[in-house]
């Protein structure tokens, strides 16, 4: 057993009789350290017991005052700093108040973009309950919830109201264009943390969706427990892989934004699994949440280092197996914490950090220790506590469980504790055991509810829809041992040939995807037991017989080149485990997650990335083949055109070729084929390859391989500016023509900052999230080491510290050491004599008050063009400055094109 947990089993207080409660015995969960077995010596702001007494928007304002310029949210296209977020929240809150009555609720019909948290926070600030609406649900489902919830207002993206939205419901465009800026925003009134804040509609056992109501207090309690367990701070980078219209999605959003962290959002179904892996790696994500089904899909074709930056991986939403834990452990670093918890839309429950050496017992992993702040009972059918180690239903009493259910525009409260009405009682319906360590084990459900991809599913809701069809006499839905949702329908009179297909169409146009059956069987009658109950065992046997006829073992790949149809067929049958690839994807048992997995399988075989737009769960096999063929043909047609574009060699600064330069290079794709230059890495630097001349030689070798002949064009950023100059000098001496030499704000004056200027600049960089205090500490270590000449010793010590495994501290320190050594080479180069090149140089210069216009380059070229650009030396090619600067750079490069090169550029731009 892990030493971190040795002797830490919870001593649950002995249940006590409670004569005024429906349950005769309650147990208390004692206070304990939520971070036991978790992070060690990680700085964070601990949240005390009174944290949930303060409204969410007030917490957000405090964070914004601490980190005004720091990036709060981004979805890749839209972004808010913390100061921008608070301002946008206050503006939108006042727009909500202007058209929503005090007792009205607000729907949020938005995808998983930066605007969803904005709308969520604005609804809380306005004191109006919000109802998230899943944009991927059918319109009939969304409109039914709008009507059932009696929404007064809906927030969406765009000026056009959705089809079917009643005219009496107000519409707010979350991102209006041309809105006046700078107007004074009216002061918002205080909001109670105990009032209804969010209504989440889930599948209901009555056959209709039910709205579960939570307060800000219950949401903040979840945030508090998350932060204190995982030591969340402003250096964290979140990428939750769950939808926003879930309690887990809300928790992830609030935890990130109320701690000053950076929140990244994406629609997994829209961007695909490969893009998720790329985003995870490129952004250095430290905290993620995902359900086991998505974990398995991502691990099927994982990138080697995609998860290496993670320090906390939370898994939940459905049962987690020990095989899932192993998959995750193999992908993350040894320092990453794996956290599992039990909670529902109605209540928090338990959590723990799974130790690496915990003995595996049973198929599923325990869901942790019950959380402090609750009382609980594990009861039998009569409501009596079961003996220790026995299975019973978990009942929770706490001030943080749901307020009640949303019915007819108001809250129907749940049962309260007679002695303390602020404590509410919730019967979870989950059958559980407490093991001898005090860990909670989920054994099953009282009812038929299951979770599919983390979303709650009640078979009764599917049954209601099927029974409502005129062609159906009787219908039943069952849940298999593999948690598959299967439907059986009896036709009313003679069944038509389209009977099953029509019912599948009815389900997918009425219900959310997880409620659509994996298989639907038409049968003559529903088998029943002597007492009249449905014979679930017999139905499962009928389904099993049908499924076995379709399943096959995958044929081995012969190694010969496969046609597009064969590639798609192999992926289709592998992912869906079927004999043939035919019909519609969803009718064959596929959902959106399996579709993403299938596309990634096809991408791996073809060696290209495929645009997901043509792929839908309703497509058939032939349509998938055509979509893949079109993607392959488009890629082959685009590649020659891209190859024929003039090459622009991009020489990076001392940091190297990172995500911001990569994004900039990609955005230049219609003007030039950007080829990044790589410098000698740390190992080569420590062997003596650490002069600008060495970097230039490495660059020349890469240039010769990529462009053996013809006009050369160079663009250097920072250190890359002097490397580009050195490369141009050597190319000219060898008789090669340098047609363009662009320099991105490299100064040759060698100015050094005073200590005061350095401290002030560092402070502003940390506050604006351009650099973290942790990174500054690594840089300081590297600078001191280089100054004293002990860089080889430091590198060796870091290697020993990492013990041949990935270690975040060692990795970061070595990157900083590499950067400091390259900067040292830059300053050494400045002291050396240099020739005057007989070409025109182009200097893209940021604002540098008090500095000469040419910043030292005026004597380096026969002629010099100086083009002013916006932003600073650090962010000139990053958002938002790149939108202004890129056209200036593209125009300067294009002016050097010969007539035939210009024609190639025009052909590329027209495609």
């Amino acid at each position: 057993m892990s030493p971190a947990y040795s002797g830490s089993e919870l001593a649950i207080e002995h249940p006590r009789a409670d004569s005024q409660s429906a349950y005769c015995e309650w147990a208390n969960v004692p206070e304990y350290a939520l971070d036991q077995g978790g992070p060690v010596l990680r700085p964070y702001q601990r949240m005390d017991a009174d944290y949930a007494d303060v409204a969410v928007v007030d917490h957000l304002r405090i964070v914004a005052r601490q980190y005004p310029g720091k990036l709060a949210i981004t979805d890749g296209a839209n972004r808010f700093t913390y100061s921008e977020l608070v301002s946008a929240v206050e503006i939108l809150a006042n727009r909500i108040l202007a058209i929503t009555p005090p007792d009205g609720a607000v729907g949020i019909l938005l995808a998983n973009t930066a605007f969803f948290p904005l709308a969520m926070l604005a609804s809380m600030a306005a004191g109006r309950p919000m109802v998230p609406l899943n944009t991927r649900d059918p319109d009939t489902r969304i409109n039914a919830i709008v009507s059932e919830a009696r929404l007064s207002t809906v927030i969406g993206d765009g000026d056009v109201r959705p089809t079917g939205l009643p005219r009496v419901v107000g519409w707010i465009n979350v991102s209006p264009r041309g809105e006046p800026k700078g107007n004074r925003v009216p002061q918002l009134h205080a909001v109670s943390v105990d009032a209804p804040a969010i209504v989440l509609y889930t599948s209901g056992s009555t056959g209709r969706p039910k709205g579960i109501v939570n307060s800000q207090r219950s949401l903040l309690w979840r945030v508090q427990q998350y932060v204190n367990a995982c030591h969340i701070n402003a250096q964290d980078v979140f990428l939750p892989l769950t939808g926003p219209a879930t309690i887990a999605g809300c928790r992830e959003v609030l935890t990130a934004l109320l701690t000053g962290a950076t929140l990244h959002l994406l629609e997994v179904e829209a961007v695909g699994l490969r893009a998720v892996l790329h985003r995870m790696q490129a952004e250095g994500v430290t905290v993620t949440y995902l359900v086991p089904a998505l974990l398995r899909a991502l691990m099927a074709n994982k990138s080697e280092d995609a998860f290496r930056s993670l320090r906390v991986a939370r898994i939940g939403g459905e049962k987690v197996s020990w095989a899932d834990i192993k998959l995750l452990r193999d992908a993350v670093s040894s320092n990453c914490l794996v956290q599992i918890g039990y909670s529902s839309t109605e209540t928090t429950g338990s959590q723990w950090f799974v130790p690496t050496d915990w003995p595996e017992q049973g198929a599923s992993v325990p869901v942790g220790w019950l959380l402090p702040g609750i009382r609980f009972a594990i009861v039998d059918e009569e409501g009596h506590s079961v003996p220790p180690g026995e299975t019973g239903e978990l009942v929770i009493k706490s001030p943080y469980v749901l307020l009640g259910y949303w019915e007819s525009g108001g809250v129907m409260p749940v049962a309260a504790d007679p002695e303390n009405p602020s404590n509410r009682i919730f019967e979870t319906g989950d059958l559980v055991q407490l093991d001898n360590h005090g860990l909670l084990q989920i054994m099953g459900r009282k009812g038929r509810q299951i979770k599919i991809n983390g979303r709650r599913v009640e078979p009764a809701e599917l049954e209601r829809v099927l029974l409502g069809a005129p062609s159906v006499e009787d219908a039943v839905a069952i849940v298999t041992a593999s948690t598959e949702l299967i439907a059986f329908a009896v036709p009313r009179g003679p069944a038509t040939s389209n009977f099953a297909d029509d019912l599948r169409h009815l389900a997918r146009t009425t219900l959310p995807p997880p409620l659509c059956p994996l298989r639907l069987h038409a049968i003559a009658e529903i088998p029943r037991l002597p007492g009249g109950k449905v014979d679930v065992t017999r139905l499962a046997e009928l389904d099993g017989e049908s499924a076995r006829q379709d399943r096959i073992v995958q044929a081995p790949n012969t190694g010969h080149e496969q046609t597009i149809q064969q590639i798609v067929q192999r992926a289709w049958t592998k992912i869906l485990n079927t004999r043939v690839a035919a019909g519609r994807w969803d009718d064959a048992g596929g959902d959106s997650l399996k579709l993403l997995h299938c596309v990634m399988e096809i991408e791996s075989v073809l060696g290209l990335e495929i645009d997901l737009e043509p792929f839908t769960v309703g497509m058939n096999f032939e349509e998938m083949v055509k979509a893949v063929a079109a993607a392959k043909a488009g890629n082959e047609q685009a590649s020659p055109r891209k190859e024929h574009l003039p090459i622009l060699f991009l020489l990076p600064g001392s940091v190297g070729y990172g995500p911001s330069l990569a994004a900039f290079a990609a955005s230049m794709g219609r003007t030039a084929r950007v080829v990044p230059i790589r410098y000698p890495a740390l190992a080569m630097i420590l062997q003596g390859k650490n002069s600008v001349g060495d970097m230039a030689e490495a660059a020349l070798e890469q240039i010769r391989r990529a462009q053996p002949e013809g006009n050369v064009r160079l663009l250097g950023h920072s250190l890359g500016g002097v490397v580009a100059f050195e490369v141009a000098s050597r190319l000219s001496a060898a008789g090669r023509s340098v047609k363009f030499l662009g320099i991105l704000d490299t100064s040759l004056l060698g100015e050094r900052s005073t200590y005061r200027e350095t401290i002030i600049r560092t402070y502003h960089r940390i506050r604006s999230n351009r650099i973290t205090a942790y990174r500054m500490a690594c840089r300081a270590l590297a600078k001191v080491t280089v100054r004293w000449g002990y860089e080889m010793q430091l590198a060796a010590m870091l290697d020993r510290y990492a013990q041949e495994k990935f270690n975040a501290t060692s990795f970061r320190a070595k990157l900083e050491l590499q950067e400091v050594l390259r900067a040292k080479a830059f300053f050494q180069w400045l002291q050396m004599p240099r020739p005057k090149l007989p070409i025109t140089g182009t200097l893209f210069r940021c604002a540098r008050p008090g500095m000469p216009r040419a910043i030292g380059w005026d004597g380096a070229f026969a002629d010099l063009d100086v083009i002013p650009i916006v932003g600073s030396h650090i962010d000139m090619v990053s958002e938002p400055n790149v939108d202004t600067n890129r056209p200036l750079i593209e125009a300067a490069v294009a002016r050097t094109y010969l007539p035939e090169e210009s024609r190639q550029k025009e052909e590329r731009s027209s495609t």
Side-chain angles (χ1 to χ4, degrees), residues 667-906:
S667 69
M668 293 275 291
R670 290 186 178 273
T671 299
R673 181 160 67 96
V674 179
V675 175
I677 295 297
R678 312 284 180 173
Y679 301 144
L682 181 61
M684 295 299 294
I685 291 173
L686 294 175
Q687 293 175 23
K689 299 288 186 180
N690 190 38
S691 68
V692 169
D694 293 323
M695 298 179 210
E697 279 302 318
L700 282 167
E701 180 60 30
Q702 295 167 64
I703 290 169
R704 293 187 191 106
R705 288 198 303 265
Q707 188 183 355
E709 58 185 17
N711 300 317
V712 178
R713 293 175 176 85
L714 307 167
L715 180 64
H717 172 243
S718 192
L719 166 68
V722 302
V723 178
F725 182 89
E726 190 70 24
V727 169
S729 174
R730 300 184 185 202
L731 285 171
S732 298
R736 292 286 299 269
S737 170
V738 179
K739 205 69 178 175
F740 175 78
L741 176 50
I743 297 161
L744 294 174
D745 200 53
T746 307
S747 173
L748 297 187
L749 300 181
E751 70 275 16
R752 294 181 180 271
S753 303
T754 65
Y755 284 114
R756 181 175 181 276
E757 290 170 336
T758 301
I759 291 172
I760 292 174
R761 184 172 63 247
T762 301
Y763 172 74
H764 285 299
R765 286 180 179 177
I766 292 174
R767 287 206 63 183
S768 63
N769 199 35
R770 290 176 182 168
I771 196 168
T772 63
Y774 166 67
R775 181 178 171 186
M776 286 304 303
C778 292
R779 177 173 293 184
L781 173 64
K783 284 185 174 182
V784 171
T785 302
V786 171
R787 175 169 294 183
W788 288 95
Y790 291 121
E791 52 265 28
M792 294 186 69
Q793 290 85 342
L794 175 62
M797 182 185 72
L798 292 171
D799 287 337
R800 287 195 299 272
Y801 176 68
Q803 297 180 341
E804 298 183 354
K805 297 179 181 179
F806 179 87
N807 180 278
T809 300
S810 175
F811 179 72
R812 169 52 61 192
K814 289 172 76 172
L815 283 180
E816 296 301 329
L817 180 59
Q818 177 177 272
E819 183 179 351
V820 170
L821 288 169
R822 287 174 178 169
K824 177 182 177 182
F826 169 78
F827 285 106
Q828 289 174 341
W829 184 87
L830 292 181
Q831 309 304 317
M832 299 167 60
R834 47 189 174 270
K836 182 173 183 178
L837 298 183
I839 61 174
T840 298
T842 304
L843 172 64
F844 301 95
R845 183 187 186 280
C846 299
R848 290 173 175 259
M851 297 283 288
R853 181 170 179 268
I855 51 178
W857 288 101
D858 41 354
F861 300 101
D863 195 13
L864 180 68
D865 289 337
V866 180
I867 301 176
I869 57 176
V870 300
S872 68
H873 185 79
I874 295 174
D875 60 12
M876 70 181 86
V877 293
S878 303
E879 294 287 353
N881 301 317
V882 69
D883 293 337
T884 301
N885 295 336
R886 188 189 66 249
L888 299 175
I889 298 168
E890 288 176 330
V893 173
R895 281 196 294 270
T896 70
Y897 286 173
L898 300 176
E900 60 270 22
E901 293 175 323
S902 296
R903 284 194 297 272
Q904 291 162 3
K905 172 182 174 293
E906 290 166 5

Side-chain angles (χ1 to χ4, degrees), residues 220-289:
L220 288 166
W221 186 249
R222 294 173 192 250
V223 171
Q224 178 190 9
Q225 292 175 330
Y226 196 170
V227 172
N228 290 347
C230 298
H231 294 193
I232 307 296
N233 66 21
Q235 295 180 14
D236 277 311
V237 179
F238 276 66
L239 178 59
L241 300 177
T242 183
T246 62
I247 195 68
C250 294
R251 178 198 64 218
E252 299 295 309
V253 165
L254 290 177
T255 302
L257 297 179
L258 298 186
T259 55
T262 295
L263 174 66
H264 290 267
L265 297 173
L266 53 73
E267 286 270 4
V268 176
E269 293 89 345
V271 302
L273 301 179
R274 202 174 301 277
V276 172
L277 297 172
H278 289 171
R279 187 81 170 269
M280 187 84 66
Q281 184 173 6
E283 302 299 343
V285 173
T286 63
V287 182
T288 192
Y289 171 84

Side-chain angles (χ1 to χ4, degrees), residues 131-146:
V131 181
L133 303 168
N134 194 321
T135 57
R136 295 190 172 272
D137 285 352
D139 290 341
T140 52
R141 168 83 169 195
I142 292 172
N143 291 331
I145 292 176
V146 170

Side-chain angles (χ1 to χ4, degrees), residues 12 14-15 25 378 385-392 432-436:
I12 302 295
H14 190 73
E25 294 179 331
I378 299 176
S385 293
V386 300
E390 295 294 318
T391 299
V432 304
Q433 283 182 4
L434 281 179
D435 67 16
N436 55 4

Side-chain angles (χ1 to χ4, degrees), residues 373 375 397-401 414-418 420-425:
R375 300 181 72 191
K397 179 166 65 173
S398 161
Y400 308 107
V401 304
V414 294
D417 182 356
N420 183 0
S422 66
N423 283 340
R424 296 175 295 280
I425 299 171

